């Protein structure tokens, strides 16, 4: 098959908003959605029943209420969600089922309430979420399978990152820079590695406290937690 689909939307109405949907159900598909300078913008890509699919969404300079969702079913899929310079209430989601998938959510320079999520089911998956310059943001990566890697990077304030991995030889890394941050990381399996780094704010009369919780089940596990700045920081590591 070898199908290709692209949608571009620019300068939409504030009242009605913009919506773009691509649905592909065969092998070797490429789907791209680009949206800029809109308000109440949504992008959705669904790819199923095939291998070697690629899905990309790009949303830039949109107003409140910007969302992107990618759903893929198959092997060797690549999904990328990029959201940059949007206002508030931004959501990006990648959901992949299969082996050797790559999922990425990049959210830059938004204002408030940014949510990024990567959900993968299979082997040899890579999930990455990066959020910069927003407050009240949430980044969640959930992976089930072997040889998975999840990386979460956040800067701003009131950040929350939640990483869950179930399988063997998984690696999870979370970096948060700002204040009032919270990280919860759960790994189930053998030979897991977890690295959490938080850099908080110590300015003002009240220092901002950061919280880290790491839970690992299995053998030969390593957990590294680093907290700097802030006040009243809490770090908990539970290994069994």
């Amino acid at each position: 098959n070898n199908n290709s689909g692209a949608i571009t939307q620019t300068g939409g109405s504030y009242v009605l908003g913009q919506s773009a949907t691509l649905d592909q159900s065969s092998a070797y598909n490429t789907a791209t959605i680009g949206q800029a300078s809109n308000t109440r913008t949504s992008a959705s890509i669904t790819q199923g029943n095939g291998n070697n699919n690629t899905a990309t969404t790009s949303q830039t300079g949109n107003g409140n209420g910007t969302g992107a969702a990618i759903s893929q079913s198959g092997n060797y899929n690549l999904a990328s969600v990029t959201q940059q310079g949007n206002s508030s209430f931004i959501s990006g989601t990648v959901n992949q089922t299969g082996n050797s998938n790559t999922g990425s959510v990049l959210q830059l320079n938004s204002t408030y309430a940014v949510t990024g999520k990567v959900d993968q089911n299979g082997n040899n998956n890579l999930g990455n979420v990066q959020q910069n310059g927003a407050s009240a943001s949430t980044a969640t990566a959930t992976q089930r399978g072997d040889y998975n890697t999840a990386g979460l990077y956040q800067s701003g304030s009131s950040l929350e990152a939640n990483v869950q991995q179930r399988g063997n030889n998984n690696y999870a890394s979370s970096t948060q820079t700002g204040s009032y941050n919270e990280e919860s990381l759960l790994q189930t399996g053998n030979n897991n590695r977890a690295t959490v780094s938080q850099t908080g704010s110590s300015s003002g009369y009240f220092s901002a406290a950061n919280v880290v919780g790491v839970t690992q089940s299995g053998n030969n596990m390593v957990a590294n937690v680093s907290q700097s700045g802030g006040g009243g920081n809490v770090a908990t590591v539970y290994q069994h």
Side-chain angles (χ1 to χ4, degrees):
N1 292 308
N2 299 319
N3 299 317
S4 179
I7 297 176
T8 302
Q9 295 174 321
T10 305
S13 169
Y14 174 82
V15 177
L16 299 178
Q18 298 287 351
S19 177
T21 302
L22 274 172
D23 191 338
Q24 297 173 321
S25 59
S26 58
Y28 305 102
N29 294 317
T30 301
T32 303
I33 294 178
Q35 296 170 317
S37 302
N38 303 297
T39 301
R40 297 169 55 201
T41 304
S42 66
S44 175
I45 296 177
T46 301
Q47 295 175 321
N49 302 325
N51 301 316
N52 300 309
N53 297 318
T54 301
T56 303
T57 66
S58 177
Q59 296 168 315
T60 305
N62 298 292
N64 293 337
T66 300
I70 296 177
S71 177
Q72 295 176 317
S73 178
N75 301 315
Y76 311 106
N77 296 320
L78 173 64
S80 175
V81 173
T82 301
Q83 297 168 319
Q84 185 170 1
N86 302 297
S87 186
S88 302
F89 303 102
I90 313 301
S91 65
T93 302
V94 174
N95 181 17
Q96 299 180 123
T97 302
N99 301 316
S100 302
N101 298 318
T102 300
S104 175
V105 177
L106 178 62
Q107 298 167 317
L108 304 176
N109 302 323
S110 296
T111 304
Y112 178 80
V114 178
T115 301
K117 178 182 179 181
V118 175
D119 187 336
Q120 299 180 116
N121 184 358
N123 301 316
N124 302 307
N125 297 319
L126 172 64
N128 177 55
V129 177
Q130 180 175 346
Q131 297 172 324
N132 292 345
S135 62
S137 297
T138 302
T140 301
T142 301
Q143 298 181 114
R144 298 169 295 274
D146 301 324
Y147 310 106
N148 297 319
T149 300
L152 304 177
Y153 310 93
Q154 295 175 306
S155 66
S157 62
S158 299
L159 305 174
E160 179 179 350
N162 180 20
V163 177
Q164 296 188 37
Q165 297 183 114
R166 295 177 177 87
N168 301 316
N169 300 312
N170 296 319
Y171 171 79
S173 176
S174 177
T175 301
Q176 294 175 318
T177 302
S179 57
Y180 302 105
N181 300 320
E182 181 177 351
E183 169 62 81
S184 176
L185 196 155
L186 172 64
Q187 294 178 320
T188 302
N190 300 316
N191 302 314
N192 296 320
R193 293 165 292 160
T195 301
V196 179
S197 176
Q198 291 179 323
T199 302
S201 173
S202 300
S203 62
Y205 182 78
F206 295 102
S207 296
N210 298 314
V211 179
V212 174
V214 177
T215 302
Q216 295 175 317
S217 299
N219 301 316
N220 301 317
M221 294 167 298
V222 177
N224 294 313
V225 176
S226 174
Q227 293 176 316
S228 63
N233 296 326
V234 177
T236 304
V237 176
Y238 179 55
Q239 296 174 320
H240 65 95

